[in-house]
Amino acid sequence: MIFTIFSFTGVAVLNVSYLSNSNSMETINNIKLQYATESSINEALWRINTGVDSLVNSEVDGVITTWDASLNVLSVNVDKFQMESEILLDLSEDTHFDRALASDETITTNDYAVDADDENQSRFFSFMPEVDLAYFTDNAVATHTQSWYQWNDLEEDDFGGEGIHVFTGWFIELKNCSFENSTLVFTGRYINFEHQNEIDAPVPVDSADAMPALVFTNPDNYFEIEAEGKNYDREDKINGAIYTAGTIVLKKGELSGPIVGKTITMEHGEEYNNQIDFKDTEHPKHYRWTKGFKHKKHYDWPKQIGRWKTKKWGKKHA
């Protein structure tokens, strides 16, 4: 009986030891698989953001990576250490027009807060969108060629109606003007807004591309948004994207954003405080791809992880 008891006890100890060792090895392999999967994903993201997207498609040493350009889905399958994992990553395209402030060169906030929503916060890109000036000129309701000219207290009907307005002159000023469902394109330099101008770009319907509010195509242009005159209650109110190939300085005003510029600077307005009020959450439809900057597919956008789905993770069956 003693021999039998010790025999059963010994077998039980061996079984516990085996299970313990097996669990330890499974834990170790699970950690190894995790590192291998993360490394493979990092390498795939580096490849897809550095070169041609198709370079990410590979099958090396138990790792298969596949890029589905139509769905923007990256698939990473790792078969190692007697284990297998498969991760699906939705790599949403993040464009300049998805951000309150976007530039490929300079964004200077001078420690002022950009009170936009978290998902619309500032971002640098490696390039700027290209202005398709022909699109704006071909679809303009009016082209204004005056230089050294001031427009006072006018509405869009006085300019020729709603739509795209192209201004080709230099040294021009808009004072207390109002535009609805319109886009203003300036090709010259020395553009000035005085007192309070209100510009509302068309609100896109459903999933259609947006239209910008202001476009400055001259790379040497310098434009400020600030309160003018003695009455500081007057400030520009602009709903829609603002694009500049040059410099834009933000001091005081009410903007929906996005603002895309070569050089963007936030400075003090009245009483040495920056008073730019972003209304991005009230105008979310302006945060999307915008017409007049070629097709969205024209660019190779930086890819970032939107959603992460674990399709498979566990031991392989013998």
Side-chain angles (χ1 to χ4, degrees):
M1 290 179 65
I2 293 174
F3 174 78
T4 302
I5 291 172
F6 277 114
S7 296
F8 277 115
T9 302
V11 170
V13 169
L14 290 174
N15 186 53
V16 170
S17 177
Y18 169 78
L19 292 176
S20 177
N21 184 62
S22 177
N23 289 335
S24 296
M25 287 302 301
E26 184 176 338
T27 300
I28 292 172
N29 287 338
N30 192 60
I31 294 173
K32 287 182 179 179
L33 182 68
Q34 179 179 338
Y35 279 114
T37 302
E38 290 179 356
S39 297
S40 302
I41 290 172
N42 286 333
E43 181 179 352
L45 289 174
W46 178 82
R47 287 178 179 272
I48 207 169
N49 279 319
T50 302
V52 180
D53 291 350
S54 59
L55 291 177
V56 77
N57 297 321
S58 66
E59 183 175 353
V60 179
D61 193 23
V63 179
I64 302 174
T65 55
T66 307
W67 168 244
D68 188 333
S70 62
L71 298 176
N72 284 336
V73 172
L74 173 66
S75 172
V76 178
N77 184 287
V78 180
D79 186 349
K80 287 185 173 185
F81 320 115
Q82 293 82 50
M83 300 189 74
E84 187 177 14
S85 71
E86 184 177 4
I87 305 294
L88 301 181
L89 300 100
D90 175 17
L91 304 184
S92 56
E93 294 177 346
D94 184 18
T95 77
H96 305 71
F97 298 103
D98 293 311
R99 300 289 179 160
L101 303 178
S103 174
D104 71 337
E105 190 169 295
T106 305
I107 299 176
T108 305
T109 62
N110 290 311
D111 294 327
Y112 293 119
V114 180
D115 61 343
D117 195 66
D118 287 344
E119 66 179 13
N120 297 332
Q121 286 299 313
S122 307
R123 179 171 180 179
F124 285 97
F125 290 81
S126 60
F127 61 93
M128 286 278 283
E130 302 173 30
V131 178
D132 185 0
L133 187 56
Y135 169 82
F136 292 115
T137 55
D138 292 346
N139 293 281
V141 296
T143 299
H144 312 280
T145 60
Q146 298 93 328
S147 291
W148 298 91
Y149 195 84
Q150 183 185 74
W151 284 272
N152 292 327
D153 302 308
L154 300 177
E155 296 183 356
E156 70 274 353
D157 289 341
D158 301 308
F159 288 87
E162 297 178 350
I164 299 173
H165 293 267
V166 178
F167 297 81
T168 61
W170 288 38
F171 295 97
I172 59 179
E173 181 176 278
L174 271 64
K175 182 177 180 180
N176 292 330
C177 292
S178 176
F179 291 84
E180 292 184 6
N181 299 316
S182 294
T183 297
L184 278 57
V185 180
F186 300 91
T187 62
R189 294 177 62 188
Y190 307 108
I191 315 301
N192 187 38
F193 281 16
E194 285 245 359
H195 287 198
Q196 181 166 301
N197 295 280
E198 297 188 15
I199 302 167
D200 291 308
V203 177
V205 179
D206 298 328
S207 60
D209 292 340
M211 285 293 295
L214 296 176
V215 177
F216 301 93
T217 65
N218 195 309
D220 296 321
N221 188 59
Y222 178 94
F223 181 71
E224 292 186 347
I225 293 180
E226 63 175 343
E228 294 284 351
K230 295 181 180 179
N231 187 350
Y232 284 97
D233 290 335
R234 294 172 177 171
E235 60 182 15
D236 294 323
K237 298 181 179 180
I238 303 170
N239 294 319
I242 300 175
Y243 172 91
T244 178
T247 299
I248 185 168
V249 178
L250 310 176
K251 293 183 178 180
K252 188 176 190 294
E254 184 179 293
L255 310 175
S256 72
I259 296 172
V260 181
K262 196 72 175 176
T263 302
I264 303 173
T265 303
M266 297 183 70
E267 294 182 0
H268 65 77
E270 179 195 7
E271 298 178 355
Y272 302 99
N273 290 313
N274 183 273
Q275 297 183 35
I276 292 294
D277 185 11
F278 281 97
K279 300 291 186 181
D280 57 313
T281 56
E282 297 178 21
H283 302 277
K285 289 192 174 182
H286 292 303
Y287 283 77
R288 61 177 67 188
W289 186 246
T290 301
K291 293 181 180 179
F293 298 91
K294 299 190 175 181
H295 197 277
K296 185 177 179 180
K297 293 182 179 179
H298 175 78
Y299 306 92
D300 183 17
W301 296 104
K303 309 301 189 299
Q304 63 178 14
I305 299 175
R307 286 170 294 179
W308 174 307
K309 179 181 179 182
T310 303
K311 189 175 181 180
K312 184 189 302 180
W313 192 290
K315 290 192 301 182
K316 292 185 66 177
H317 296 289

